Amino acid sequence: MKYILLAIIPIILASCNNSGQKTIAAASDSTSAKKARVAIPSFNKDSAYSYVVAQLAFGPRVPGSQAHEKCAGYITGKLKSWCRDVIVQKCRMAAFNGKMLDGKNIIASWKPGLKNRIVLCSHWESRPWADHDPDPKLRRKPVDAANDGASGVGVLMEVARQFSLKEPSVGIDIVLFDLEDYGPPQDESRGDDKWWGLGSQYWAQNPHIQGYSARYGILLDMVGAPGATFLLEGLSQEYAADIQRKIWDAANRIGYSSYFLYEKGGMVTDDHVFIMKYMSIPVVDLIHLDKSTESGFYPYWHTTHDNLASIDASTLKAVGQTMLTVAYEEE
Ligand code: AHN
Ligand code: ZN
């Protein structure tokens, strides 16, 4: 509950949803003819899943560890095999505890000269502490971060592979952030949002290309759990409502209505906040929210159970196919 402000006025929400539904139907009617012209490649869920497996094989990718170093090399190598323009942006950031962290934001760009572009992002490193584990003895153990890390990267790696086979018409940047999840452990009560998203804070203030901008961004966070529910995250709704609607409409149109719910979720301090703040690019957080858990996130969030067993390739497919649909339909 500390990190996520849940909506408290269900009556107002219900009426918003109802009027929203009509607009959705009208919008998809008028655009369906144009949409039908674009052939959308098929996202390979087994391929995405294999990229999740490969990341986990290094062990927890905790900043400063060998696994972290090796995994950065793995992701960079794969992206270079699919994309000519890959940049590894190094940063050195102070953590909440004074420790200096060496981070790497990994960036792949298609049509880098084009102004008309969108940015897809996720974070790739693991949280050092499973501070929300039900077992207090495990709360200082690192998180495998299958869902909270590897899932978004796995999806975007497969998206990158698809881009290598067929370029979308707009420019695209895939930005994989480091140092997202080094925020203070729950029991240390240093409740300041500035200790989260260190990699994205660095990139947003020191873009890989001077004067970088994009029309909009999509952040993938925890996109691999079985039966995931993507609610309309509050800050995205406030600052990027039209983009959020476009993504949810695309997902619902291609058959993923059980994952993409037109239901308001809480506000999350995630990487998208810093991109919006420092770059003024509207960014939607596509994140698994669950109103039945105490945290508001998916049940295994920041626990030792966030491992390979909590990943379902069908969820990766729903998210990945939606990303391809949005990207290839953009003109
Ligand atoms: C906070 O807990 C402040 N933000 C959650 C962002 C996050 C952590 N996403 C994944 N792990
Ligand atoms: Zn996390």
Side-chain angles (χ1 to χ4, degrees):
M1 287 308 292
K2 196 169 141 207
Y3 303 123
I4 180 161
L5 311 169
L6 293 175
I8 50 165
I9 313 172
I11 297 164
I12 292 178
L13 282 183
S15 64
C16 287
N17 275 347
N18 286 342
S19 60
Q21 297 291 2
K22 283 178 212 136
T23 329
I24 297 154
S28 41
D29 283 351
S30 63
T31 50
S32 56
K34 186 178 83 192
K35 300 275 165 68
R37 274 192 266 122
V38 199
I40 313 289
S42 177
F43 182 91
N44 187 323
K45 64 180 182 176
D46 300 323
S47 162
Y49 185 82
S50 78
Y51 304 141
V52 174
V53 173
Q55 291 171 75
L56 291 204
F58 295 107
R61 287 86 62 217
V62 169
S65 69
Q66 262 210 22
H68 183 260
E69 184 69 26
K70 285 187 177 161
C71 189
Y74 161 72
I75 295 169
T76 307
K78 288 302 237 183
L79 286 177
K80 281 185 174 166
S81 76
W82 300 316
C83 178
R84 272 189 304 274
D85 294 282
V86 176
I87 291 176
V88 178
Q89 178 186 59
K90 293 186 178 180
C91 61
R92 199 169 160 78
M93 305 292 282
F96 69 92
N97 55 7
K99 197 168 167 175
M100 292 308 291
L101 306 175
D102 286 307
K104 285 177 178 169
N105 295 324
I106 306 168
I107 303 153
S109 302
W110 285 265
K111 304 188 178 177
L114 215 61
K115 262 206 151 97
N116 179 17
R117 53 198 313 105
I118 65 177
V119 55
L120 308 175
C121 35
S122 196
H123 79 95
W124 68 267
E125 103 291 4
S126 301
R127 179 160 178 76
W129 318 280
D131 51 328
H132 282 75
D133 202 279
D135 181 350
K137 292 192 295 295
L138 301 177
R139 290 183 189 154
R140 293 282 145 171
K141 291 223 167 221
V143 183
D144 274 353
N147 199 26
D148 188 1
S151 68
V153 174
V155 167
L156 291 181
M157 287 173 73
E158 168 60 6
V159 164
R161 192 180 71 84
Q162 293 295 339
F163 290 166
S164 78
L165 303 172
K166 178 189 172 179
E167 271 203 334
S169 43
V170 296
I172 309 261
D173 302 286
I174 288 181
V175 184
L176 304 176
F177 296 118
D178 202 350
L179 312 182
E180 188 276 338
D181 230 349
Y182 215 98
Q186 199 186 18
D187 52 4
E188 301 198 11
S189 63
R190 281 175 250 215
D192 196 328
D193 289 348
K194 74 177 184 196
W195 301 119
W196 301 87
L198 298 177
S200 61
Q201 291 193 53
Y202 183 84
W203 178 72
Q205 293 173 90
N206 307 274
H208 62 294
I209 288 175
Q210 219 195 339
Y212 176 84
S213 195
R215 276 167 48 203
Y216 65 85
I218 305 173
L219 172 65
L220 304 188
D221 196 3
M222 306 187 254
V223 293
T229 47
F230 305 117
L231 307 186
L232 302 164
E233 188 272 329
L235 292 166
S236 316
Q237 177 135 94
E238 197 162 332
Y239 299 107
D242 51 338
I243 313 302
Q244 192 180 49
R245 167 60 62 85
K246 188 197 327 231
I247 299 163
W248 261 246
D249 284 359
N252 276 263
R253 171 160 50 88
I254 63 177
Y256 299 119
S257 57
S258 67
Y259 297 96
F260 289 78
L261 308 181
Y262 289 97
E263 185 186 328
K264 197 170 155 58
M267 297 181 181
V268 182
T269 304
D270 210 339
D271 292 317
H272 68 316
V273 173
F274 303 109
I275 306 173
M276 295 204 276
K277 177 175 171 182
Y278 295 116
M279 296 177 132
S280 303
I281 298 171
V283 185
V284 174
D285 196 4
L286 205 176
I287 181 168
H288 183 166
L289 298 174
D290 183 340
K291 290 185 175 169
S292 73
T293 64
E294 207 199 319
S295 68
F297 297 118
Y298 83 110
Y300 294 154
W301 181 68
H302 293 183
T303 75
T304 57
H305 300 284
D306 181 359
N307 55 31
L308 206 52
S310 76
I311 297 294
D312 182 347
S314 307
T315 306
L316 303 176
K317 169 75 177 175
V319 173
Q321 195 61 53
T322 300
M323 289 305 98
L324 292 182
T325 303
V326 170
Y328 284 100
E329 284 181 351
E330 210 55 77
E331 48 195 14

